Amino acid sequence: LTYEILLTMEGEKKQPGLYLLEHLNLDVEDQESAEDFYCKFLGCMRVASRPREATLHSNCGYLTQFHTGDKMKRSQQWRGEIEIVYSSAGLQEVQNRLKRMIKQGLKISTKDRHNRNSNRFEKEEISHRRDISVIGPNGNTFFLREANDSQSAFFENPRNGYRKFSKGSLPLGISSITV
């Protein structure tokens, strides 16, 4: 199993996307690897009230959620990038998880997001970055970054909503998608 890590120049800006993407449905071949990636690596919270044999619902913060249906012949690949925002501490925990996984034998390659033929970045840079792109086990690209002030205020405000079983989620939410 290999995750490909795509890096950008520090501080690269992206244009804002949708106001709120509540659910993103992605079909996967294997529910166990989906739970490992979405919950154990990205830090989403599995909805415990759903039976294990049902579609995995992973809360990504209080307002957003991944649904991963399994038993598919092929995993669904999103054509673009899925952006997830974190608090500074949440992103640091993902970086720590990644470092532990590398020590345990996870193979990674570090590439520039805009020029995948370039090996401009070193693996050691992962630990102090404020953004990381990851190609997950099903081929989908996730851009993980620290939330700006307005995103933090929106995703952390309980008046905007609160999804049961989301307490303890590392990400604040799915902030945008590109197609």
Side-chain angles (χ1 to χ4, degrees):
L1 183 64
T2 300
Y3 295 168
E4 185 173 353
I5 309 300
L6 307 175
L7 305 174
T8 60
M9 294 304 295
E10 195 69 41
E12 180 179 309
K13 296 193 184 224
K14 292 186 66 160
Q15 295 298 316
L18 299 170
Y19 178 70
L20 176 66
L21 179 67
E22 189 178 2
H23 294 91
L24 184 57
N25 296 302
L26 295 167
D27 291 331
V28 297
E29 294 173 49
D30 175 31
Q31 201 72 282
E32 188 176 325
S33 67
E35 187 170 355
D36 284 347
F37 181 74
Y38 289 96
C39 299
K40 294 178 184 170
F41 175 64
L42 294 179
C44 299
M45 295 302 294
R46 182 182 176 280
V47 175
S49 62
R50 295 202 41 91
R52 286 241 176 237
E53 56 277 351
T55 299
L56 174 67
H57 288 191
S58 304
N59 288 333
C60 184
Y62 295 141
L63 301 172
T64 62
Q65 191 175 67
F66 289 103
H67 292 181
T68 50
D70 70 342
K71 298 182 179 71
M72 306 311 264
K73 291 182 182 172
R74 280 185 47 187
S75 293
Q76 183 179 9
Q77 290 187 353
W78 191 257
R79 292 178 300 202
E81 194 171 69
I82 302 160
E83 182 177 278
I84 302 174
V85 292
Y86 291 82
S87 67
S88 178
L91 186 59
Q92 184 61 54
E93 175 56 28
V94 171
Q95 291 166 327
N96 291 340
R97 288 175 181 200
L98 184 57
K99 286 191 286 187
R100 284 191 300 269
M101 291 166 73
I102 291 168
K103 284 182 181 176
Q104 294 170 355
L106 175 71
K107 293 184 173 98
I108 69 164
S109 65
T110 56
K111 303 285 184 184
D112 184 316
R113 286 176 68 219
H114 303 294
N115 178 6
R116 292 192 184 184
N117 294 322
S118 167
N119 280 319
R120 171 166 66 123
F121 299 99
E122 298 297 322
K123 291 178 184 174
E124 292 74 28
E125 282 191 64
I126 292 169
S127 62
H128 63 271
R129 297 191 56 82
R130 292 195 350 234
D131 58 59
I132 305 171
S133 283
V134 178
I135 298 176
N138 296 302
N140 293 300
T141 302
F142 297 83
F143 183 57
L144 316 178
R145 69 171 179 80
E146 194 172 320
N148 62 37
D149 291 341
S150 64
Q151 289 170 322
S152 292
F154 175 77
F155 282 117
E156 293 176 326
N157 186 345
R159 289 179 32 180
N160 292 327
Y162 180 84
R163 189 178 300 283
K164 193 174 181 184
F165 301 109
S166 57
K167 186 175 182 171
S169 176
L170 287 179
L172 297 177
I174 302 169
S175 59
S176 71
I177 57 170
T178 56
V179 185

